[in-house]
Amino acid sequence: MTKATYDAIIIGAGHNGLCLAAYLQRAGLDTLVLERRHEEGGGANTEEPVMAGFRHNLHAQYMEFFDIMPMIQDFGLEDLGLRTLMPDAQAGIAFADGRPPIVLHRPDRLDATRASIARYSAQDADLFVELKRRAMALEALVATNLYNPPNLTDSTPGAQADMAEALYGDLGVGRHYIQKSPKQVIDDLFETPELRALLYRVTVEWGFPVDQTGTGGAFLSFVMWTVGNWKLALGGTHTLAKAMTQACYREGVDLLESSPVEAIIVEDGRAAGVRTRSGREIRATRLVASNADLRQTLLDLVGEDHLSSLWVKRAKAYRYGPSHVLATPMFCLYEPPAYSSARWDPDIDRCFYTMVGFDGPEDTIRYIRDAYSGLLPRPAAGTWVNSLWDASQAPAGRHSATGWYFMPPASSLDARQWAEVRAEYNDRFLEVWRESAPNMTPDNVLAHKLYTPDQIERKNLMREGDFSNGEFSPDQMGANRPFPEASSYRTEVDGLYLCGPSAHPGGGMHAACGYNAFKAISEDLGLASPLVAERGY
Ligand SMILES: Cc1cc2nc3c(=O)[nH]c(=O)nc-3n(C[C@H](O)[C@H](O)[C@H](O)COP(=O)(O)OP(=O)(O)OC[C@H]3O[C@@H](n4cnc5c(N)ncnc54)[C@H](O)[C@@H]3O)c2cc1C
């Protein structure tokens, strides 16, 4: 039975809301989490939406931050069932004419990565491996940047240029690279079209538009660190949400599902509680934190009457998409795809993440630009067959494949048009898939389904289907996220905090928005800091 009053109320049980709740309760605050859906986890969810026994992660697939995520250590999530695996072959690209694939291996197998790229260019292979090796040494820096409020000094172009120069200057990849777009950096560094096609795609996956100038530094540090540094959550991504939920219960947090919050109660300029859609009011004596997106939190839940005109203007100007919009195709298979490129390198058949339908860099660029400009691209995808490593994800002898298509933002098409996309796009993609993996015939597919951006928006309230809840561009990143006046997780309503991906560092399964919101709250309320000396953040 939930109480009428708590110290802290959190709106939304996404992984960031759960993270904040666990830390708050441990710090002595009686905490309630209200979730509108019937289950916790938000984007950390795994379901069987096509056929019983075939599991698919509808949203997050690869986990790149588990080794540095404070909550995993601080709350012993591995003891609560979180299990991971890091496939050897991480990211691959297969081609329709069966020419050699490129396969990037995990960071301890850079020799294999070098051999794969060297089939095309020894020079590219050496440079890529050297850049990757140096990027991996940035782990502490990545962690410090993620798990702290945005640092005004570190994110200036001057500071980034100094870092690029110090890290890569001797390779001729110095300070002027940070002003370039990722595409310009990739084109400048690598001559192999096949490698470029792959790198464009992994760049946009991390939400950095390939043509966005001024993000070259982010490519060289963050994208180079994350690519091929991915783990699979055994049992499905939902196991992260489950372990976090268990940690919350163990600390004594109250969680209430199927309880959409309709309003944040503001009294005398202070967040005093919430009202749920059923009309129930629950009071908060210390704080309310929102894992919901920025516009919903400020404009719908708080309301313009309680905000200054500046904050209303800033919230309305915050942009969602077009560069982070995905659709998730799901296939139930007899056999996993067998690529004709495998005659060169069998690892392409056991890649964690395989790109299909991009025969060269022009294809990737056209595909991305079409999606960004509101057009349906010719089908191509990044694909996952998680049952290759985790037998729990499909019935015995069968396979579950999931993928990502880049798509136009949800509002680009109407409901009827999205229904048409769901009806025909997977079949068109299967034809493309078959060009590089001949066994992907209709006979190999028991059933399939497509989950589109309009559905992502409805299910998770990720506006426009934007997977980061807000475009990544220099004016919406770091100390500018979501806007400069709100970049410290605090809002102009006293006692109201942001703990979702509209805040720094944005989308992704890192729980950093929740962790950093806790840091801000602990500073304001004089709670014990979560900082662990050996960890350094
Ligand atoms: C297709 C897709 C693929 C992705 N792939 C990856 C990936 O491979 N790796 C990765 O790291 N990230 C990935 N992401 C991004 C990742 O899923 C999100 O960044 C992440 O889910 C954000 O977590 P969160 O906890 O802050 O918010 P969310 O997961 O969005 O959770 C917010 C929660 O708040 C609830 N809520 C909202 N409004 C209310 C309200 N009014 N009242 C009560 N509850 C409310 C929602 O129901 C939801 O449960 C992907 C996203 C998508 C869409």
Side-chain angles (χ1 to χ4, degrees):
M1 181 63 187
T2 49
K3 293 166 257 190
T5 304
Y6 286 83
D7 296 328
I9 295 178
I10 297 172
I11 302 166
H15 83 299
N16 275 309
L18 293 170
C19 172
L20 174 59
Y23 281 101
L24 285 174
Q25 186 78 33
R26 184 174 277 184
L29 265 59
D30 194 18
T31 302
L32 169 71
V33 182
L34 293 161
E35 167 55 47
R36 52 181 267 285
R37 295 191 65 244
H38 62 286
E39 62 178 6
E40 291 79 10
N45 96 320
T46 308
E47 298 180 20
E48 298 182 1
V50 192
M51 283 180 82
F54 290 85
R55 285 192 204 157
H56 301 275
N57 296 322
L58 268 70
H59 315 98
Q61 295 276 353
Y62 50 39
M63 305 291 115
E64 49 278 90
F65 306 109
F66 278 15
D67 291 340
I68 55 175
M69 194 192 289
M71 186 172 177
I72 293 183
Q73 300 168 18
D74 294 350
F75 291 84
L77 297 192
E78 282 166 0
D79 298 338
L80 295 173
L82 185 65
R83 295 276 176 282
T84 57
L85 183 143
M86 192 174 205
D88 173 2
Q90 288 263 309
I93 185 162
F95 301 105
D97 61 4
R99 67 189 185 278
I102 290 186
V103 178
L104 308 181
H105 291 254
R106 55 186 208 202
D108 60 339
R109 298 269 289 111
L110 289 180
D111 52 337
T113 299
R114 179 186 279 111
S116 180
I117 302 174
R119 281 203 183 87
Y120 287 99
S121 159
Q123 187 182 311
D124 281 3
D126 287 343
L127 181 59
F128 181 86
V129 165
E130 187 54 24
L131 289 171
K132 178 70 184 163
R133 198 182 60 73
R134 294 189 192 191
M136 288 316 295
L138 296 176
E139 180 153 301
L141 184 72
V142 171
T144 311
N145 278 339
L146 288 179
Y147 296 106
N148 277 303
N151 184 327
L152 268 177
T153 343
D154 284 358
S155 53
T156 61
Q160 285 191 34
D162 290 346
M163 191 178 91
E165 191 63 36
L167 278 171
Y168 306 117
D170 62 315
L171 301 174
V173 190
R175 48 190 328 114
H176 64 291
Y177 275 79
I178 68 128
Q179 295 296 356
K180 292 180 188 287
S181 68
K183 180 175 183 308
Q184 287 165 339
V185 175
I186 293 164
D187 291 351
D188 219 71
L189 298 181
F190 304 112
E191 63 187 8
T192 307
E194 289 76 4
L195 180 59
R196 288 182 184 172
L198 182 154
L199 291 177
Y200 294 160
R201 169 89 201 201
V202 293
T203 301
V204 291
E205 244 136 55
W206 251 103
F208 295 105
V210 279
D211 293 315
Q212 177 84 59
T213 52
T215 56
F219 172 80
L220 287 168
S221 52
F222 193 68
V223 176
M224 283 303 294
W225 179 77
T226 51
V227 63
N229 197 13
W230 302 319
K231 290 188 169 172
L232 162 88
L234 291 173
T237 306
H238 180 72
T239 53
L240 172 67
K242 181 168 170 281
M244 287 180 140
T245 304
Q246 300 234 103
C248 283
Y249 281 132
R250 201 173 53 182
E251 295 299 321
V253 173
D254 276 352
L255 282 137
L256 211 51
E257 300 89 3
S258 304
S259 303
V261 170
E262 205 171 57
I264 293 170
I265 301 166
V266 180
E267 287 170 358
D268 300 326
R270 184 171 176 80
V274 298
R275 190 172 58 252
T276 66
R277 187 174 297 162
S278 63
R280 185 171 168 210
E281 288 196 1
I282 309 173
R283 311 289 295 182
T285 54
R286 312 294 295 274
L287 70 111
V288 174
S290 177
N291 192 180
D293 93 286
L294 181 78
R295 278 204 216 156
Q296 189 199 163
T297 302
L298 293 181
L299 302 178
D300 303 341
L301 301 183
V302 171
E304 294 189 27
D305 291 351
H306 296 291
L307 297 170
S308 65
S309 55
L310 176 72
W311 277 58
V312 171
K313 182 174 127 184
R314 296 272 202 256
K316 287 184 175 169
Y318 186 67
R319 301 185 312 280
Y320 298 83
S323 57
H324 293 190
V325 184
L326 297 174
T328 307
M330 295 162 277
F331 301 92
C332 306
L333 303 177
Y334 286 103
E335 289 175 5
Y339 292 98
S340 40
S341 289
R343 71 197 161 96
W344 297 95
D345 182 351
D347 285 342
I348 191 67
D349 285 348
R350 286 189 64 80
C351 245
F352 186 25
Y353 184 48
T354 309
M355 290 154 222
V356 190
F358 306 102
D359 248 27
E362 306 76 23
D363 279 357
T364 322
I365 286 296
R366 190 181 322 115
Y367 173 86
I368 296 164
R369 288 183 183 151
D370 279 355
Y372 288 5
S373 56
L375 301 171
L376 269 187
R378 174 186 180 270
T383 59
W384 314 85
V385 188
N386 290 345
S387 51
L388 284 171
W389 296 277
D390 180 0
S392 77
Q393 303 214 18
R398 304 279 183 267
H399 287 278
S400 300
T402 311
W404 290 334
Y405 303 135
F406 273 85
M407 286 269 147
S411 63
S412 309
L413 305 185
D414 63 26
R416 188 183 49 80
Q417 289 169 319
W418 280 121
E420 282 168 14
V421 173
R422 283 192 290 279
E424 55 88 37
Y425 203 81
N426 273 352
D427 286 324
R428 286 176 56 209
F429 172 64
L430 276 169
E431 284 172 26
V432 173
W433 207 349
R434 206 148 50 234
E435 289 171 12
S436 50
N439 70 333
M440 292 305 291
T441 59
D443 286 351
N444 189 28
V445 182
L446 286 96
H448 63 80
K449 200 169 195 170
L450 178 59
Y451 174 57
T452 47
D454 56 322
Q455 295 177 310
I456 294 178
E457 185 175 58
R458 264 200 307 282
K459 188 184 186 92
N460 266 358
L461 301 189
M462 290 176 175
R463 262 169 218 262
E464 295 288 2
D466 176 332
F467 66 77
S468 275
N469 261 336
E471 173 91 340
F472 272 0
S473 53
D475 67 324
Q476 291 197 164
M477 282 161 66
N480 292 326
R481 193 168 185 88
F483 51 86
E485 296 80 0
S487 67
S488 66
Y489 308 89
R490 301 170 178 93
T491 69
E492 68 171 357
V493 177
D494 250 8
L496 175 64
Y497 295 85
L498 302 175
C499 67
S502 309
H504 168 80
M509 287 292 157
H510 39 55
C513 312
Y515 184 73
N516 293 342
F518 177 68
K519 281 188 167 176
I521 294 166
S522 53
E523 211 175 287
D524 292 353
L525 302 188
L527 308 174
S529 160
L531 180 100
V532 171
E534 313 85 70
R535 191 162 69 204
Y537 53 89

